Amino acid sequence: MNVILLGPPGAGKGTQAESIVKDYKTVHISTGDIFRKNIKENTALGQKAKEYMDKGQLVPDELVVELVADRLSQEDVKQGFLLDGFPRTIFQAEELDKVLLKNDMKIDKVINIEVEPEVLIERAVGRRVCKVDGTTYHVSFNPPKTEGICDHCGQELHQRDDDKEETVRNRISVYTNQTKPLIEYYTKQGNIANINGQQKIEAVFEEIKSALGSEQ
Ligand code: AP5
Ligand code: MG
């Protein structure tokens, strides 16, 4: 099954992706995670992306589209993929449609997680992420068993550079102007499911499972 996860920053895309890939045989493709890995490894792509990410702006379309087109040409995605954080502009969505057509693939479902702005800020500012395996926590809503330590690998948790309140506000306004129009784009394509993201993490996942059905 091929799925797109849509939603504003802090909506819970990454959190739900962790559960979806466990239950469905899909490969998680997060453009944000790919950029963060490149920043950590100090690659040329990472250096370019960091300039935009630190300000809460989108990385230019041409860099992202090429990266995703390349990822979707790899063998493992044939079992199904979950796009998290892509597409984020109408241009990216149109380019994705072309890539899918070329590779004889289609999107089965677009999952749109809806959360109000004030809740998003609280979520992003309280988020903590494992430096090693990327598991996501929240200081109040989803705390690790031991403060500051990953439950899975015992390594330190850290705060993302773009999770300062001012940067989160910028990211939300970028979302409203450039990404929200995708809801209409996919509503026209007829395969979108709007999910209430303001429930407990497990309840959100139940709603997503109902939308995805038992299809694998
Ligand atoms: P990206 O990494 O994609 O970030 P984002 O879209 O801003 O989303 P987040 O990862 O912040 O939030 P999320 O929805 O995954 O929430 P999470 O599950 O972590 O992008 C970062 C940057 O990279 C962009 O700003 C841009 O510069 C660049 N970029 C990436 N893709 C790009 C593209 N396609 N084009 C151009 N630029 C691109 O949850 C958040 C917190 O809330 C966590 O602490 C979690 O524990 C908690 N939480 C989750 N669900 C719940 C719940 N139901 N109740 C209570 N708490 C919850
Ligand atoms: Mg994320």
Side-chain angles (χ1 to χ4, degrees):
M1 182 163 40
N2 301 330
V3 177
I4 293 174
L5 267 181
L6 266 189
K13 301 182 296 294
T15 302
Q16 296 302 327
E18 284 175 26
S19 301
I20 296 169
V21 294
K22 270 185 208 152
D23 271 33
Y24 297 83
K25 289 186 209 113
T26 52
V27 178
H28 183 198
I29 304 173
S30 158
T31 41
D33 286 350
I34 296 171
F35 288 135
R36 280 183 288 277
K37 185 168 181 277
N38 276 272
I39 291 173
K40 205 169 151 189
E41 291 166 0
N42 202 21
T43 66
L45 176 65
Q47 286 172 8
K48 272 190 215 153
K50 189 169 165 47
E51 282 174 42
Y52 300 91
M53 290 170 77
D54 281 352
K55 293 185 211 139
Q57 294 168 355
L58 294 183
V59 175
D61 279 338
E62 60 272 19
L63 291 180
V64 194
V65 168
E66 200 187 312
L67 184 116
V68 175
D70 177 60
R71 186 66 189 86
L72 290 180
S73 69
Q74 291 168 21
E75 199 54 32
D76 61 340
V77 300
K78 293 204 172 115
Q79 63 176 293
F81 59 83
L82 178 65
L83 285 172
D84 162 2
F86 182 93
R88 252 185 158 93
T89 61
I90 296 285
F91 178 81
Q92 290 180 16
E94 288 169 349
E95 290 301 305
L96 173 63
D97 283 344
K98 289 182 203 162
V99 172
L100 293 171
L101 197 67
K102 199 173 128 202
N103 293 350
D104 198 20
M105 291 167 158
K106 70 174 178 61
I107 298 296
D108 299 296
K109 204 76 177 177
V110 178
I111 297 288
N112 176 40
I113 307 180
E114 298 178 308
V115 176
E116 281 161 24
E118 285 312 309
V119 178
L120 297 173
I121 291 166
E122 198 183 0
R123 285 192 186 174
V125 171
R127 170 168 43 200
R128 297 293 180 273
V129 183
C130 176
K131 277 185 177 170
V132 176
D133 69 16
T135 309
T136 299
Y137 301 88
H138 190 280
V139 289
S140 316
F141 307 137
N142 186 22
K145 292 189 183 99
T146 309
E147 196 187 321
I149 301 293
C150 179
D151 292 350
H152 301 140
C153 68
Q155 298 297 312
E156 241 180 280
L157 304 181
H158 78 125
Q159 189 170 23
R160 258 169 55 175
D161 288 342
D162 59 351
D163 276 347
K164 294 182 200 84
E165 183 169 338
E166 199 193 319
T167 317
V168 176
R169 287 192 189 276
N170 279 346
R171 285 160 56 202
I172 294 171
S173 92
V174 165
Y175 165 81
T176 307
N177 296 327
Q178 300 192 56
T179 308
K180 214 172 170 190
L182 292 180
I183 297 174
E184 198 189 328
Y185 184 89
Y186 287 113
T187 303
K188 280 188 189 145
Q189 289 195 1
N191 54 356
I192 195 166
N194 295 311
I195 305 290
N196 173 11
Q198 281 180 234
Q199 319 175 62
K200 288 212 158 33
I201 291 171
E202 299 73 24
V204 177
F205 185 50
E206 284 307 314
E207 220 182 297
I208 291 176
K209 279 202 288 191
S210 306
L212 295 179
S214 54
E215 216 183 313
Q216 292 284 310

